[in-house]
Amino acid sequence: NAKLDETTAVCKYVIPDHHFLESWGDAEPISGHISFIQPTISPLFKTRAFQDSLLKWSGEATDYTTYLKNYWSAKLGGENGWNKTLQAGVLNPTTSAYSGATINASAVNNAVAAVGASKPASNDKSKIELALYQKVGIGAGQGASNPWLQELPDPVTRATWDNYIIVSPSMAKSLLNIDLTNPGQADAYEVQPPKQVVKLTVDGKTIELPVLIIPGTHPQTVGIAVGYGRTEAIGKSVIGTGKNAYPLACIENGLVHFSCSDVTLTVTGATYPVALTQTHFRYDTAQGVRTEVVKEISFTEFSKNPKEILEEREAETKPYGGLENYEAQGTIYPVYGRPGIKWGMSVDLNSCNGCGACVVACNAENNVSVVGKPEVLRGHEMHWLRIDKYFSGDMDNPKVVFQPLMCQHCDNAPCENVCPVAATNHSSEGLNQMTYNRCIGTRYCANNCPFKVRRFNWADYTGADSFPDNQVGEVNDVVMNMNDDLTRMVLNPDVTVRSRGVIEKCSFCVQRLQAAKLDAKKDSRPMVDSDVKVACQQSCPTNAINFGNANDKHSAITKVRLETPNRQFYVLEQLHVLPNVTYLTKVRNSEEAGEEHAEAAHEAKVEKETKAAH
């Protein structure tokens, strides 16, 4: 498990350990409950378990696997007991492992008081405070060597590959002379990739980073992500992005604090390009509230009129005869019942917190390419699934909603009828399919997609002809070959590796759907809903994504749609593309007025500020 990093760079000896998937072992996560660790693969490199090293250094001739087996066989009544316990994986105690314990309240109070006393005190509201935080992908820096995580957009800023200084709209107005309430300045800020660079100084330590204006940030607080700017690792060009913010941490009474007061900011006049995957961040704009894209409502409003969302949808679909006659009108395809499978997905906007786990899972499952910062800056990111983030209401204290958006697998798909070589087509199971070896890269389908979820391979990222010295090259004395067997082990063998010049997009993990069918056929039984879990659904920690056969009345997707008809909507439903992905409206658990009232309040505030300025 040893690798080149900032710690091993200063060590005299570095001893490589097995990966946990290559290891034997035991663990006691709860007192009295023993869990056994078994290897799933043989060691890939010339590594040795650290327990083996300890045994050798202590003069023991037995290897660790034998040592572990002998130890537990003696405790479990022989080899048969060891085998049975190993099969179960867990050894539970026969009696409760818990015993009554007394808590020393005085010691706890003293400890809490000591921590409180060590906090840096600053009651001066005029001073700027620095907050150092960990990003969801990079963490404290352990994710910096993973290109999937480097290219994972931050949930709120939607930035990749770099860290930056986060400031509030009010601070941006005073510091950078950028007023987000001014439509012209706001549009220019969103569209322009280069961001102004600011010099931040705290306790005599300085750092220069680009600035991102994020609504909802405290007016007197700025934030910087840690974990960037690493100097020692294989592939320094990947890991060394951003700047190291750890030296800015404050030390008070012997404790390290990641919030520091008395910060000064100075505009340098320089600019720096930040690779953003989303530049527009509001859906309640001067042009109106874009409720056909994302819908949210307060609980108070929803309680007063549970059918408000249905009424909005009725108005949007009125040109096609309303919701009742919507599917039958305006389509070149006949409407008919599908007796077999019809795959569908439902995304609950109440549950989604924008963490990005689904994005990384999709990358891993479907061999989605990492393109690097220069290509992200050009809008060439390859993510099959993106999570759009929208602010609404007062920009000093906004509401935020996250919306995962993948291929909607439309029944009236506008991409299908413009492909000159029939590379994109519709299956009998409701899937919008891509035939990669037919695609000639005209990109008509991407131009015709209203959701902009199709991706084009501008370079041969997996074949690596876009990288210099692909076959013969060294990085830190390590021979790099992008096409060797080890490097390509990251690829999922069940998914086609796309070549340069073709369109690709979400396939609803069709390889998993086919595998589930084959398993059911092998067992001579019908396929059930629980047989299938797509990658994004499987990885979602909040269970925001449901997927299944919409024609099966017992499936999870059918139950969700039947139980929540008043919250359901389709994105851009008025276009009549008939998506197979439904969304559940964001219902805010508050007593506040709804979006219309929030918008009116925001407009009144802008008008008041404009009059005051004149």
Side-chain angles (χ1 to χ4, degrees), residues 23 73 83 92 129 187 208 210 222 233 239 242 272 275 307 332 354 397 405 430 495 497 507 527 544-545 550 603 611:
S23 305
S73 294
N83 289 334
N92 295 318
E129 180 178 299
D187 291 344
E208 292 187 8
V222 297
I239 294 184
Y272 182 85
K307 294 191 175 182
I332 63 174
N397 186 24
L405 202 69
V495 180
V497 179
S507 66
M527 186 179 67
I545 299 175
E603 288 180 352
K611 288 181 179 178

Side-chain angles (χ1 to χ4, degrees), residues 172-208:
K173 191 173 181 179
S174 59
L175 180 68
L176 306 174
N177 198 28
I178 297 177
D179 184 6
L180 291 187
T181 61
N182 182 319
Q185 286 193 350
D187 291 344
Y189 173 79
E190 290 180 19
V191 172
Q192 188 70 14
K195 305 301 179 185
Q196 295 190 46
V197 175
V198 166
K199 180 180 180 180
L200 181 147
T201 305
V202 57
D203 290 342
K205 297 166 288 190
T206 64
I207 191 171
E208 292 187 8

Side-chain angles (χ1 to χ4, degrees), residues 409-427:
H409 292 270
C410 311
D411 283 338
N412 192 21
C415 57
E416 294 173 8
N417 50 27
V418 295
C419 181
V421 293
T424 180
N425 58 82
H426 213 68
S427 79

Side-chain angles (χ1 to χ4, degrees), residues 190-438:
E190 290 180 19
V191 172
Q192 188 70 14
K195 305 301 179 185
Q196 295 190 46
V197 175
V198 166
K199 180 180 180 180
L200 181 147
T201 305
V202 57
D203 290 342
K205 297 166 288 190
T206 64
I207 191 171
E208 292 187 8
L209 285 171
V211 166
L212 290 185
I213 308 170
I214 304 299
T217 307
H218 189 278
Q220 294 302 114
T221 300
V222 297
I224 302 177
V226 295
Y228 286 84
R230 292 180 54 185
T231 58
E232 298 292 338
I234 296 176
K236 290 183 181 180
S237 60
V238 172
I239 294 184
T241 58
K243 291 189 177 181
N244 183 11
Y246 276 115
L248 303 178
C250 307
I251 299 179
E252 296 278 345
N253 299 327
L255 294 176
V256 178
H257 295 277
F258 293 96
S259 59
C260 309
S261 57
D262 202 8
V263 174
T264 58
L265 299 172
T266 308
V267 179
T268 64
T271 60
Y272 182 85
V274 180
L276 303 172
T277 59
Q278 181 185 355
T279 53
H280 61 286
F281 59 84
R282 296 195 63 159
Y283 79 88
D284 58 337
T285 64
Q287 289 77 33
V289 181
R290 297 294 305 273
T291 56
E292 74 275 20
V293 176
V294 59
K295 297 182 186 293
E296 61 174 321
I297 191 173
S298 72
F299 181 71
T300 303
E301 274 193 321
F302 190 69
S303 299
K304 289 180 180 177
N305 182 11
K307 294 191 175 182
E308 181 169 336
I309 302 302
L310 286 176
E311 291 170 0
E312 285 185 7
R313 292 180 60 200
E314 185 70 33
E316 291 168 2
T317 59
K318 190 175 181 180
Y320 297 99
L323 293 176
E324 187 175 346
N325 300 311
Y326 179 66
E327 288 192 14
Q329 305 226 1
T331 174
I332 63 174
Y333 302 108
V335 177
Y336 60 92
R338 293 181 175 86
I341 297 172
K342 180 171 170 58
W343 299 112
M345 181 175 284
S346 175
V347 182
D348 191 346
L349 300 186
N350 263 15
S351 299
C352 179
N353 57 19
C355 69
C358 56
V359 177
V360 178
C362 180
N363 286 358
E365 174 70 22
N366 294 296
N367 301 331
V368 176
S369 302
V370 173
V371 300
K373 179 181 174 179
E375 291 299 293
V376 176
L377 280 168
R378 300 170 68 185
H380 292 175
E381 69 272 8
M382 296 296 295
H383 294 145
W384 284 10
L385 165 62
R386 70 174 190 264
I387 304 179
D388 291 334
K389 166 247 3 184
Y390 296 103
F391 294 118
S392 63
D394 185 356
M395 287 298 98
D396 292 328
N397 186 24
K399 298 171 183 175
V400 186
V401 60
F402 299 102
Q403 184 181 46
L405 202 69
M406 67 295 291
C407 175
Q408 303 290 288
H409 292 270
C410 311
D411 283 338
N412 192 21
C415 57
E416 294 173 8
N417 50 27
V418 295
C419 181
V421 293
T424 180
N425 58 82
H426 213 68
S427 79
S428 60
E429 298 177 355
L431 296 182
N432 178 249
Q433 300 180 137
M434 272 302 307
T435 309
Y436 301 123
N437 59 358
R438 291 185 64 88

